[in-house]
Structures are given as structure tokens and as C-alpha cells.
Amino acid sequence: MNAQANKPFTVVGERLPRYDGADKVTGKAIFGPDVALPGMLHGFILRSPHAHARILSIDTSRAEALPGVYAVVTAADLPPAESTDHRYAHDNTFAGDKVLYVGHAVAAVAARTPPIAEQAARLIEVEYEVLPAVTDVLEAMRDDAPILHDDMRTHSLAGRGDKPSNVASHFQQLKGDPARGFAEADVIIEREFHTATVHQGYIESHAALATWSDDGVLTVNTTTQGSFAFRDHLVWLLDLPMSKVRVIPTEVGGAFGGKNTSYLEVPAALLARKARRPVKITMPRPDVFLATGPSSGAFFRVKMGATRDGHITAAQAELCYAAGAYPGSPVGSGANVMFGPYVIPHGQVDGYDVVTNGPRVSSYRAPGGTPANFAAETVIDELAEKLGLDPIEFRLRNHAKEGDERIDGGTHGSIGGIEVLEAAQACDHYNAPLSGPNRGRGVAHAAWGNWGGRSSCTLSVNGDGTVSLVTSSVDLSGTRTTIAMQAAEALELPPERIRPSVGDTDNTGYADVSAGSRTTYATGIAAIQAAEDIIVQMEARAAALWDVPAERVTYARGVFASGTDQRFTFAELAEQVTGSGGSVSSIANVDVAEWGAGFSTHIADVEVDPETGKVTLLRYTVVQDVGQAVHPTMVEGQMQGGATQGIGWALYEGYAYNEQGQMLNANFLDYKIPTALDVPMIETVIVEVPYPKHPFGVRGVGEPPIVPPPAAIANAIYRAIDVRPTHLPMTPAHLLEKLGLIES
Amino acid sequence: MNHDSWREVSAMATVYIPSLMRDLSGGQDKISVPGKTVAQVIEALDAVCPGVKARVADGNHLAPGVAVSVDGVIARLGLRAPVKAGSVLRFLPVIEGG
């Protein structure tokens, strides 16, 4: 623990009003679809109706001839691809020789009005040769499966495959000797699990507005998790100098990983360049489901063994993740989540990244973690049951501590998993009676790695003693408040003296995407470093004004002093320095290479109607180690929001495909996400095990709570009706099938 | 050769050999080789265990889906990442966050 963390906090830990709150509740905040420019045209993207087809020809002449149409673009308007990854990005923007999923972009039109753009797009004639499609991950792995990419060979550290395959890559984690570990076990459980593709379900659609200046500078206003990532994507695909692309992020109405990836920006830029007018594209809701990046559907085989005294001896898992049309599923992070919290003496995890005829997957809050945890924690629960142990006690007996080796070969850093389990064990919910027929209580526990990464923060002292704070980290969830609070804490100023805002790629330093639960953590470190530098600079200015050595000047609680009767409040000194010698400002750029993992335990009470299979959540509690809660209300909101998304994953959500690879539920009527009517008030227990490498002890908060809900609910369902779900979502039909009341 | 340059030349890093590559290492799970960058370490490893480079690297980059950690920290610079004497390297699958 460093010195800062031992200080009593004055700002950190307070439940303050959000800086962005008023604009958002009064409708003044500008989101992606709100941005407009004079003379702006409207874009529309023509998408494939087929899940897998060869493009034989594209005729855009009728669209181009329609009055009101200014530009039509296809893959032919993109610079040529220079590498395999480049080609995948290129082809996912506009299909090249094949379409690989329903919704795959084929062409785009810019026109005076949205209806004209859509009408023109429908006039584009595309001749297809329809090919067999495969949407299920296991079917895609079969030797006789339709092949999406003729040149794809399985990559693994064992070498490159020798024949075309939909298995893009295979990796393996191995620790010890699993065969020996299973031989030492008294109880072995082996199970298989299937989980559906799900979408992040953000309410704000994607929208991008592109404009070219006369000197060739491209400006894009867009809803994104990372303005620099989108700038780099535009540079990469359009072959432009970085200095000629500016990305301005709007407010974001939900992202959850789905806005890490650029979809509309390149088409809008191509259309705007061709039309010589600003072009805006807003994605219709069905396209959001069909053509953006959901999370993977997956298959798991899990085997675990333990001794009679409740110690795990071995664990083995196979994870097969559907990547959609191009490689890049989150199977790696799924593997790390699998047995993450526990000491596994002998373990093996094999992961497979598999292309399928669906949209290329993107990140979704703790990417890959939720389905992996469902599989592992269901088996953990069954092991505890077979051993006659309380499920939390079994987890505690096997929990990792700092310094323990993981299956992937790394070691655990400072973690609070045991403290979380103990808090769950002691909480009111876990100790409350639960009675009644068909009711059950389940628990699940999870580790999520979090992230650090690159961030930038600029602080500028104003003449009235306020401080402007600009970060390049897009604010998805209130992070401008939590970053400003850390700056205020470090500056020892009231939080209302800090004015935070989010900059763009032309006026701030580089930042990675706001993802991986990193923003409050890593950008907070940048803010603290900038604040510390501001204090040093202000002390030097005070020393100059007082004509004393700088080392004589001290600063505490907003007051500079020289050791005599010379004193300046922060505001008094600010007024003087900005009027003589120029303003004081500081920019801190960080690349945070270490971060603290987040652990969470969830407790779910359910009631299952054995005749209909309907699951009703009666009570739900989230217990989570957050390091130091910078803003407890927002932390609780993250815990509740993450749990609610996980509940959707558990009970309701899933892409439904027919045999032709057509998605049958690409709307919020048929793709159900949980609402306030579906979940009880989610109780929260904040555990604070400070992370020692953050000055205030902060850990990432946003992702861990989405991981355990399916397993917690599955384990509760088991105790309610004595069957163990093996599929997500755990629909009434799945439970009735498990109960033997219907056939699959 | 002065003392410092001698130390530089002899600086050894330990590379943990992933299970899927142990066919190239005769079953060894870790090997010490010299190198001041990840690329140099891989070159040195390839000299001892021919075929390693082809599996972990693709031209001037790490192979798709492969990350490398140096002393427990994912090396953002990939093949160009610096390696110190006594460093520990591991090859890992790429991880992302949402």
C-alpha cells in the first residue's frame, strides 16, 4: 500500500452528482444519431439477404440514376487490402467476392433523404450464387462443414493446419499432469454446455457523420468507445495519414463492448468523399442485430475432480467459440475465466476460435467470460453437492491467493476473491430462509482480469481557481465524474472546482478504447499524475512570487504556504499565475501495464413453475471486490446493470437462426432483454480490497458483475426442480425438456 | 570486451514453452536463451528448437492471436519489446475487454 492510499479521502468515496447528469436527464446531451450538419446527405447500406453466397455481379446503375442520389459505393471503392487481417476488415466493411452472413454490407448509397437512400439501395442489382451456410459452432468444426474461407488453415502453436478449416485457431493451457490429477480424485464430474449468441443490447443505435474539408481532412462524429481506435481504423482502411483524420466522439447511449468496432465510419467517409457533401448513416435496429458484433455462441466440455475433503485435484475444459464471419472470438478470455478463481494443481484448457456464418463477434462486457463461468461454476456446484459441502465453503477451500499459479502460467496478483466469498457467506441474503415448493438458491463466483492500457489526461488551471480536465477516454458510464473526483482528491480541491470533458483525436493525447473496466482505473491514474504535476508547478510559481526556494513551499488542503505567514489559497495563486507568466497546465500520458482483477459472487433465489418452465427471480445479490469505490452509487449501478445483463443472458437472450442462417428475432420484440419488470431490486455488497498499484486502490468494476448470473441462476434452478440446465438461455422449453415433459 | 558488454551478450531470458510447442523442445517446458528483444529471443530459441519462429511469428509481427508476456506484462510492442537479463517470457492467446 502506498502513502496515498492511507490518507483519509475527502472526495473519493462520496456519492456526488454526475457532471453529465443534468444534460442527460433533460435531453440536451448529444448522442450519435443527434449530430447533423447543413447540406448533410443520408446514407443507407444494402445488406446481404443470404448467410453464405458468392457475389457474381453488382449493378449500381439504377440506383445512381435515381433523382436525389449523390453517391453509391461498394468494396471496389476501398484501397486494396495488404494483409489477411486487413482483408478481413476490408471485407467486413463491404463484402468482396462472398457474403458471409445475413446483413453483410454489400453497397451503400448517399441521397438527399433517408427514404431516397433506401429506395436507391433496393435498386442495386446483386447476383448471388447461394452456398450452404453453417451457424452452429460444433457443426462448423466438422470436416464436412461448408468452408467460409478457402485459404483459412487452423493456426496453433502446434503448427498450421494442412487443409481448409473453419477452425481459425486453437490454443492450449496446460499445468501439471491432468491424468494424474484425475487419478487422485474421489469425485469426477464431466458435463457439456451450449450457449447462444447474444447481443449487447445497447439502446442507442450506431450513427456516424463524415465530412471532408477542401484540404482533404476527414472529420467523423460518431458514437464510439474509442475515438483513437476508430481514427486508426479509418486510417488503416482508407490509407490516410493520421493527421488527416479527426474523430469526435458523441455521448454514448450504451455500448458494452459493441462500440469498440467501427462499422459505419468507413462507408460514410467513402460516400462523403464521392458526394462532396457531409454524409450521415444511422443504423436501423434490425441491422444492429444482423451486422454488428454480438458475443459468441459457444460449446463447452468441462471435467473436474476433487478429493473427499473438498480439494480440487484436476480440471479440464474445451471451449469452442463461434467468431462469426471472421476470426477473433473472445475464447482466450473465456479460457482465463474458466477456472480463474481456484487453485488447480493439474489443469488443461483447450480453446478453439471458429468462423461461422454470422456477424463477426465483438466484445461484450467481460468478453467470453459469462458462458465459460456458466459451464465451470455449474460443475463446481455439482462437485460441492456430491461432496456434501456448502457451495461457498467448497469454493473457499479451493480459492487462489496472491502468488498462486494459474493454469495459463501466470500468477495471481493482489486479489480479493476470498474476501468476496466471505462477505457473501455473511450477507443477509445467504443466511435468509428460503421456503416453498419449486424454489431454490444458487451461488456462483467469478474472476475477471480487467485491464489498464493507455490513457491521457490534461488539466488546466483557470484564473478563478477552477481546473479544466480533458481526457480522451470516452465516457460510457459516468467516468468523467470518477476521473474528476480522483483529480479533485489529488489536488485537494472540492469536486465542483473541476470541470471535466471528453476531447477528440485532435485535441487530446492517445487513449485506448473505454473497455476492459479500465477507464476509472487507468485514466484515473493519468488524472492523479497530472494533478500532482499541477501542484509542483503551482508550488514553483508561489516560490517565485514569494522569492523563496521552491522546496520551502508546501501544499495541503487547498492552501500553499512557505513556512512563514505567506499563504495562498489555490484560487488566489491561480489568479496570480494566470495573470503573470501564463497559465499552468499539465498533461499526463500513461500506459498502465498492471491492474487488479475483479472478483464477484452472486446469489440468486428462483421459483420455477414446473408446468410451464417459467423462472421467476425472487431475490438477487451481487457481492464484488471493487478495490476502492470512487463513487459508490455508480459502482452499485455497475453491479446492478452487469447482473441484469447477465440475467438476460441466463434466461431470455439468444440469436435464433433457421437452417438457412437467417436470424429470426432481429428486434427487441422477439429478442427479449430483461426490463425492470423481470428482475427484483438487485442488492449489492461492496467489498473493498484496495489494489496496491493504484494510488487510491481502485480496481475495474464494470465487467465482473456480468459473469456469474447464468451459473448462479442455473444452480438455483437445480435446487428448485432438481435438474441442471446445460443450455443458455435457460428458456422454459429447455427446462421442460430437462424435466422430461417435452422432447427437444 | 568490457564487463558491461559481456553481460549484455550473456543476458539470458527464460522462455516457457507452451504445451503445443513442446514437440519442438524435446518436451522441455522452459528454455533459457539470450536476447535483448522478443524478436532476438525468438531467433535464439529457433536456433535451439527449429520451427519455433514459424509458429509464434508472422513476418515482423507476432502470429495472429498470439501475445507475449515479458515478466508477467503483456508486451504491447510485440517482437520489438525489450527483454532484460533474467526476464521470463510466455506466449499467450490474445485477450480483449468489453
Side-chain angles (χ1 to χ4, degrees):
Chain A
M1 185 64 54
N2 58 45
Q4 284 270 32
N6 291 325
K7 281 185 177 181
F9 296 120
T10 57
V11 181
V12 165
E14 296 298 311
R15 297 174 186 267
L16 302 174
R18 285 172 60 152
Y19 291 91
D20 57 330
D23 277 356
K24 284 185 174 163
V25 299
T26 57
K28 289 178 180 165
I30 304 296
F31 293 88
D34 298 327
V35 183
L37 283 173
M40 181 179 83
L41 302 176
H42 298 270
F44 187 88
I45 294 182
L46 178 69
R47 299 184 180 279
S48 168
H50 305 295
H52 194 189
R54 200 173 310 284
I55 296 175
L56 302 178
S57 65
I58 302 175
D59 182 353
T60 61
S61 57
R62 291 177 65 206
E64 287 162 332
L66 187 72
V69 171
Y70 284 72
V72 180
V73 294
T74 66
D77 292 274
L78 283 166
E82 293 174 348
S83 65
T84 303
D85 279 355
H86 202 194
R87 176 162 53 82
Y88 290 155
H90 187 288
D91 288 356
N92 203 35
T93 304
F94 286 120
D97 60 339
K98 286 211 297 188
V99 290
L100 295 172
Y101 53 96
V102 173
H104 199 156
V106 174
V109 175
R112 186 163 42 79
T113 66
I116 295 173
E118 182 170 354
Q119 184 188 356
R122 306 291 177 213
L123 293 173
I124 296 171
E125 293 171 10
V126 185
E127 189 181 358
Y128 294 103
E129 175 194 349
V130 178
L131 302 169
V134 60
T135 56
D136 177 79
V137 67
L138 287 184
E139 288 180 18
M141 295 174 77
R142 292 166 55 114
D143 285 343
D144 60 351
I147 294 294
L148 273 70
H149 304 278
D150 292 336
D151 61 346
M152 181 174 282
R153 306 287 184 273
T154 302
H155 179 273
S156 92
L157 294 178
R160 189 167 186 260
D162 57 3
K163 60 182 180 186
S165 173
N166 292 323
V167 180
S169 66
H170 164 224
F171 65 83
Q172 185 178 83
Q173 301 171 349
L174 180 65
K175 179 184 173 190
D177 180 354
R180 184 182 138 203
F182 284 115
E184 292 169 356
D186 297 310
V187 178
I188 295 175
I189 305 289
E190 185 170 5
R191 297 283 179 262
E192 293 182 353
F193 302 89
H194 300 258
T195 66
T197 295
V198 299
H199 198 273
Q200 299 86 351
Y202 36 82
I203 302 304
E204 179 205 35
S205 182
H206 295 259
L209 168 59
T211 316
W212 292 84
S213 70
D214 289 342
D215 59 349
V217 174
L218 169 66
T219 299
V220 178
N221 301 74
T222 187
T223 173
T224 173
Q225 290 180 240
S227 47
F228 284 91
F230 275 35
R231 181 200 65 177
D232 294 349
H233 185 79
L234 285 157
V235 164
W236 191 40
L237 285 195
L238 297 176
D239 194 19
L240 295 168
M242 283 186 180
S243 61
K244 293 216 165 187
V245 182
R246 180 183 189 185
V247 173
I248 303 174
T250 64
E251 295 289 354
V252 179
F256 314 111
K259 291 173 184 167
N260 284 339
T261 307
S262 169
Y263 299 101
L264 299 178
E265 292 70 22
V266 171
L270 289 171
L271 288 169
R273 184 160 62 185
K274 210 168 201 177
R276 302 180 69 81
R277 300 268 292 270
V279 173
K280 175 174 154 185
I281 309 176
T282 302
M283 199 179 268
R285 178 61 59 185
D287 290 6
V288 176
F289 281 105
L290 295 171
T292 66
S295 192
S296 295
F299 167 79
F300 301 88
R301 185 175 291 116
V302 182
K303 181 179 177 185
M304 298 186 78
T307 56
R308 281 189 200 89
D309 64 353
H311 288 95
I312 297 169
T313 58
Q316 198 164 357
E318 186 179 327
L319 297 80
C320 306
Y321 277 47
Y326 304 98
S329 76
V331 64
S333 43
N336 287 356
V337 166
M338 200 81 208
F339 306 119
Y342 307 111
V343 175
I344 307 289
H346 304 282
Q348 179 176 330
V349 176
D350 285 86
Y352 298 87
D353 183 34
V354 184
V355 293
T356 54
N357 288 114
R360 184 189 201 175
V361 302
S362 183
S363 302
Y364 178 20
R365 201 170 189 164
T370 301
N373 183 262
F374 165 63
E377 286 288 299
T378 298
V379 172
I380 288 270
D381 196 70
E382 194 171 347
L383 270 179
E385 181 209 2
K386 292 281 188 292
L387 294 166
L389 289 171
D390 170 86
I392 292 184
E393 174 58 30
F394 180 59
R395 287 168 172 85
L396 278 168
R397 283 189 194 182
N398 291 283
H399 207 284
K401 302 181 184 70
E402 183 171 358
D404 283 334
E405 186 185 352
R406 305 186 305 251
I407 292 181
D408 68 6
T411 53
H412 285 283
S414 161
I415 54 176
I418 289 173
E419 289 85 346
V420 166
L421 281 170
E422 289 172 345
Q425 205 171 33
C427 80
D428 176 69
H429 183 173
Y430 198 64
N431 294 286
L434 175 66
S435 58
N438 306 312
R439 291 182 167 190
R441 174 171 296 156
V443 299
H445 183 62
W448 174 253
N450 291 324
W451 189 28
R454 291 165 288 186
S455 284
S456 180
C457 180
T458 302
L459 295 179
S460 303
V461 178
N462 301 312
D464 62 357
T466 61
V467 178
S468 298
L469 180 157
V470 184
T471 90
S472 41
S473 295
V474 173
D475 182 355
L476 305 175
S477 55
T479 51
R480 85 196 78 186
T481 299
T482 55
I483 293 163
M485 289 172 71
Q486 292 176 77
E489 186 72 52
L491 288 167
E492 302 187 50
L493 292 175
E496 59 271 19
R497 299 269 286 278
I498 314 295
R499 189 69 211 169
S501 60
V502 177
D504 63 58
T505 56
D506 265 12
N507 56 29
T508 55
Y510 190 94
D512 284 314
V513 287
S514 293
S517 307
R518 67 170 218 91
T519 309
T520 294
Y521 173 71
T523 313
I525 290 173
I528 293 165
Q529 290 185 6
E532 290 170 345
D533 184 52
I534 289 284
I535 293 171
V536 170
Q537 291 187 54
M538 293 284 276
E539 286 173 341
R541 295 292 188 97
L545 288 167
W546 289 328
D547 195 21
V548 300
E551 55 271 22
R552 282 223 353 234
V553 179
T554 59
Y555 179 69
R557 297 180 182 176
V559 176
F560 295 90
S562 69
T564 64
D565 58 349
Q566 292 168 311
R567 295 164 65 84
F568 279 132
T569 65
F570 190 93
E572 288 168 347
L573 182 58
E575 184 181 10
Q576 295 219 27
V577 300
T578 52
S580 59
S583 63
V584 172
S585 65
S586 179
I587 180 168
N589 298 294
V590 298
D591 185 355
V592 182
E594 294 178 272
W595 48 87
F599 284 73
S600 56
T601 300
H602 289 205
I603 308 166
D605 291 357
V606 304
E607 180 176 302
V608 184
D609 183 330
E611 292 185 357
T612 66
K614 181 178 187 299
V615 176
T616 302
L617 268 178
L618 304 172
R619 188 174 181 184
Y620 200 97
T621 298
V622 178
V623 187
Q624 185 175 329
D625 173 26
V626 303
Q628 165 65 49
V630 175
H631 191 299
T633 305
M634 282 199 269
V635 166
E636 289 159 356
Q638 288 293 317
M639 292 163 71
Q640 292 165 326
T644 303
Q645 286 189 305
I647 290 165
W649 205 326
L651 294 175
Y652 311 121
E653 298 181 40
Y655 277 40
Y657 287 109
N658 66 13
E659 288 182 358
Q660 288 74 43
Q662 306 276 345
M663 186 182 177
L664 303 174
N665 55 342
N667 59 74
F668 274 137
L669 187 63
D670 298 314
Y671 182 98
K672 177 174 167 48
I673 61 174
T675 69
L677 299 176
D678 301 304
V679 294
M681 183 63 192
I682 293 171
E683 298 163 49
T684 57
V685 178
I686 292 176
V687 176
E688 292 180 313
V689 179
Y691 180 59
K693 294 185 178 178
H694 184 285
F696 301 147
V698 172
R699 295 175 190 268
V701 170
E703 291 172 297
I706 198 175
V707 181
I713 292 169
N715 295 336
I717 288 171
Y718 170 70
R719 283 169 180 76
I721 58 171
D722 208 29
V723 295
R724 288 203 178 268
T726 53
H727 286 58
L728 295 183
M730 296 176 279
T731 59
H734 177 57
L735 297 185
L736 292 178
E737 185 190 329
K738 284 282 175 183
L739 286 165
L741 298 176
I742 61 170
E743 293 182 1
S744 62
Chain B
M1 182 179 290
N2 65 35
H3 186 65
D4 284 344
S5 60
W6 178 86
R7 287 206 310 189
E8 282 180 13
V9 168
S10 65
M12 301 290 273
T14 300
V15 184
Y16 277 82
I17 309 298
S19 52
L20 295 176
M21 291 201 323
R22 290 181 197 159
D23 59 321
L24 302 177
S25 67
Q28 291 183 81
D29 63 359
K30 58 186 173 186
I31 294 177
S32 292
V33 290
K36 292 194 286 187
T37 64
V38 170
Q40 289 178 6
V41 167
I42 290 172
E43 289 286 352
L45 194 59
D46 197 63
V48 181
C49 309
V52 163
K53 185 179 174 184
R55 296 195 189 176
V56 300
D58 182 5
N60 294 324
H61 303 280
L62 287 165
V66 176
V68 64
S69 74
V70 179
D71 299 326
V73 175
I74 296 295
R76 190 188 298 284
L77 293 176
L79 296 181
R80 292 177 291 134
V83 173
K84 293 182 287 194
S87 282
V88 174
L89 279 72
R90 292 178 188 274
F91 295 103
L92 307 164
V94 169
I95 303 296
E96 60 180 328

